[in-house]
Amino acid sequence: MHYVSTRGSAPALGFEDVTLAGLASDGGLYVPESWPSFTAADIRALAGLSYVDTAVRVMAPFVAGSLDEDELRGLCEAAYGRFSHQAVTPLVQLDHRNWLLELFHGPTLAFKDVALQLLGQLFERFLSRRDDHLTIVGATSGDTGSAAIDAVAGRAKIDIFMLHPEGRVSDVQRRQMTTVLAPNVYNIAIDGSFDDAQALVKRMFNDTDFSSRFNLSAVNSINWARLMAQVVYYFYAAVRLGAPDRPVAFSVPTGNFGDVFAGYVAAKMGLPVAKLMVATNVNDILHRALADGDYSQGQVQPTATPSMDIQVSSNFERLLFDAGGRDGTALAEQMRGFEATRAMRLTNAQREGAAALFTSARIDADSMTMAMRWAYDGAGQVIDPHSAIGLAAARTLDLDPAVPVVTLATAHAAKFSDAVERATGTRPPLPARVGDLFAREERYAKMPATFEAITAYVAERATPRA
Ligand SMILES: *Cc1c(COP(=O)(O)O)cnc(C)c1O
């Protein structure tokens, strides 16, 4: 399988190179040069398979040429063996048509584990083949940092430096990062905001000398391998609800458009997806883009769903490319316009291509709270605020009543216990596997938010390339 850039001028690469590169050299994102296609019989044959067996079937075409099936199986077993539920991503029924797909049974209690646990395995395999070393640098406002640290802690050939804004992540989120004492993990609390942290990281990547000396890599959701890992659970859930003989709709709480784009990929591969609901909070750039063609950046408003407080959705570019006819040169021009003015209109082709499968809803704090109460009162399910945004949007879908609607539950309620308690009156306890989080030793550096201080710290500790 070869991958092409959404901006048309970077070289096509195989899966191994795409995984290690992250972003394409022309500033675009990698997508497969064509979508693998599953027949109804192929999908029917997934019935009854375990999560790992499903993962191997669904991902095999994407990794062809880089990993054989046995290697892929070994990596999946290592990644998903760390989940606390035997089904890895179990379905829970809420009423006669609504279901939750629980994606939070990984080590850090958020759906990002599903992709990052596999990415950690892939990095290690590919780096040892090449005898190369990687320095991961990232900024986090919570979930990504802990999931990435857990995925690479203790791995040879990788160091990870994670910046977080001091005092602005929750205690659970901070401790999930700072109590990992592996020697290749460096947490840095900066005296500044998340945007300051992000700006520092961007500057490090733009410093080409620094970046190539330490082989810097990012783990944000622009990495194709992350999206690929997320395609699996759409198949896994739909097959359990009757696919390929019965279409299924999905509602996805969305920020960077990674998770819901994986649903689009599943549909392109032949899974009968009736609709993909893009559920946003009041930071609604994606809702405006899909409803009116208006992709213009607003001010980020902080909400109870911080992982969706986003005003630029990096993976949306992949949809614009594919739905708009795969014209990389035209898209590069359109994205340059957006980067200059922070606004753009979708083309008619992009709008029509997206409308065939996607719909969207903007969910405010009241509707989110009502969805949490509805799940608790009607089905005894305590859900987190992000999942509640998805569920509130799911309940606005106007579809054939025979189509089951699956809401992706992206975080464990205990990660956001204050908001959950306000809505439902119950405070969800941390699950046993992270129960001693508050007794563990923490280790992190505190630093001013200056480029000089951070780069000196990284340069002293990271492994330069041979
Ligand atoms: C990251 C995240 C999201 C948003 O996922 P995207 O792939 O960025 O759309 C939703 N909910 C939770 C809990 C998250 O951590």
Side-chain angles (χ1 to χ4, degrees):
M1 171 69 78
H2 279 88
Y3 291 82
V4 296
S5 165
T6 51
R7 300 199 190 175
S9 53
L13 298 178
F15 178 72
E16 177 173 335
D17 287 319
V18 161
T19 301
L20 292 173
L23 202 66
S25 59
D26 57 5
L29 307 179
Y30 280 111
V31 290
E33 74 187 342
S34 62
W35 300 116
S37 157
F38 280 39
T39 63
D42 294 334
I43 296 169
R44 205 167 283 122
L46 300 174
L49 294 190
S50 69
Y51 190 87
V52 165
D53 287 335
T54 307
V56 172
R57 295 263 179 105
V58 170
M59 294 192 291
F62 294 110
V63 305
S66 296
L67 292 169
D68 66 30
E69 230 176 88
D70 285 344
E71 286 178 297
L72 179 59
R73 179 179 311 280
L75 300 180
C76 288
E77 279 167 355
Y80 300 118
R82 297 200 54 215
F83 280 59
S84 66
H85 196 294
Q86 295 184 49
V88 182
T89 62
L91 276 167
V92 170
Q93 189 162 10
L94 293 178
D95 70 0
H96 60 286
R97 73 176 312 193
N98 282 284
W99 301 73
L100 285 176
L101 179 60
E102 294 186 342
L103 302 176
F104 50 73
H105 293 279
T108 73
L109 312 180
F111 91 99
K112 292 187 170 67
D113 289 325
V114 179
L116 284 166
Q117 286 293 322
L118 184 68
L119 189 66
Q121 299 288 338
L122 290 167
F123 275 159
E124 182 159 273
R125 173 63 51 95
F126 294 151
L127 289 169
S128 59
R129 269 185 196 172
R130 299 173 169 213
D131 197 20
D132 205 348
H133 192 281
L134 208 60
T135 304
I136 295 171
V137 180
T140 187
S141 54
D143 290 341
T144 305
S146 54
I149 287 171
D150 191 279
V152 304
R155 290 191 190 287
K157 300 179 179 301
I158 302 177
D159 290 309
I160 184 165
F161 293 83
M162 191 56 66
L163 278 60
H164 71 266
E166 186 173 9
R168 303 197 203 181
V169 300
S170 76
D171 287 352
V172 171
Q173 286 176 323
R174 187 191 69 251
R175 284 178 165 274
Q176 281 186 317
M177 298 190 281
T178 58
T179 61
V180 179
L181 303 180
N184 66 330
V185 172
Y186 301 93
N187 278 291
I188 305 172
I190 63 143
D191 181 12
S193 67
F194 170 68
D195 289 340
D196 297 334
Q198 184 122 53
L200 287 165
V201 169
K202 272 210 181 122
R203 215 174 133 189
M204 263 188 266
F205 277 91
N206 288 338
D207 182 336
T208 42
D209 283 346
F210 189 83
S211 155
S212 65
R213 182 150 69 104
F214 294 107
N215 200 18
L216 291 199
S217 170
V219 286
N220 49 19
S221 65
I222 49 134
N223 195 305
W224 165 258
R226 278 185 65 174
L227 298 191
M228 174 191 76
Q230 293 169 209
V231 176
V232 174
Y233 49 69
Y234 286 90
F235 276 90
Y236 186 76
V239 165
R240 267 146 194 83
L241 293 173
D245 302 305
R246 188 190 195 198
V248 178
F250 291 90
S251 178
V252 188
T254 309
N256 247 327
F257 207 75
D259 207 4
V260 74
F261 187 76
Y264 175 82
V265 174
K268 286 283 160 183
M269 291 168 72
L271 190 71
V273 175
K275 213 72 197 165
L276 288 170
M277 165 59 85
V278 174
T280 75
N281 64 21
V282 295
N283 297 294
D284 62 352
I285 182 169
L286 287 168
H287 173 56
R288 286 184 282 115
L290 291 167
D292 307 319
D294 165 31
Y295 190 82
S296 59
Q297 192 177 348
Q299 275 288 333
V300 174
Q301 298 182 49
T303 70
T305 47
S307 298
M308 299 162 69
D309 290 347
I310 277 174
Q311 280 288 358
V312 179
S313 269
S314 25
N315 281 296
F316 198 53
E317 181 169 340
R318 287 187 157 109
L319 178 70
L320 296 179
F321 178 71
D322 197 60
R326 293 195 159 227
D327 182 344
T329 315
L331 185 58
E333 188 59 40
Q334 195 181 4
M335 294 308 298
R336 267 195 296 277
F338 175 74
E339 278 152 21
T341 62
R342 311 317 285 173
M344 67 181 170
R345 300 282 317 165
L346 271 55
T347 66
N348 285 340
Q350 287 166 339
R351 290 187 68 176
E352 282 159 24
L357 202 54
F358 291 95
T359 186
S360 63
R362 171 194 198 269
I363 303 299
D364 65 17
D366 285 344
S367 307
M368 176 197 76
T369 301
M370 269 160 45
M372 284 163 92
R373 286 202 193 126
W374 182 81
Y376 186 59
D377 294 342
Q381 289 296 315
V382 181
I383 64 173
D384 103 287
H386 301 80
S387 311
I389 297 268
L391 181 59
R395 296 186 66 220
T396 69
L397 272 170
D398 183 19
L399 291 173
D400 177 341
V403 174
V405 178
V406 176
T407 295
L408 273 50
T410 50
H412 193 292
K415 263 196 133 158
F416 300 95
S417 47
D418 291 340
V420 173
E421 186 172 17
R422 272 196 301 275
T424 63
T426 20
R427 192 170 180 88
L430 276 174
R433 66 187 189 281
V434 294
D436 72 339
L437 198 60
F438 284 84
R440 287 187 223 149
E441 181 193 342
E442 284 190 85
R443 192 168 70 206
Y444 60 103
K446 292 187 191 185
M447 311 201 61
T450 66
F451 187 66
E452 293 66 32
I454 306 286
T455 47
Y457 182 88
V458 173
E460 242 168 64
R461 290 161 181 83
T463 311
R465 280 181 118 169

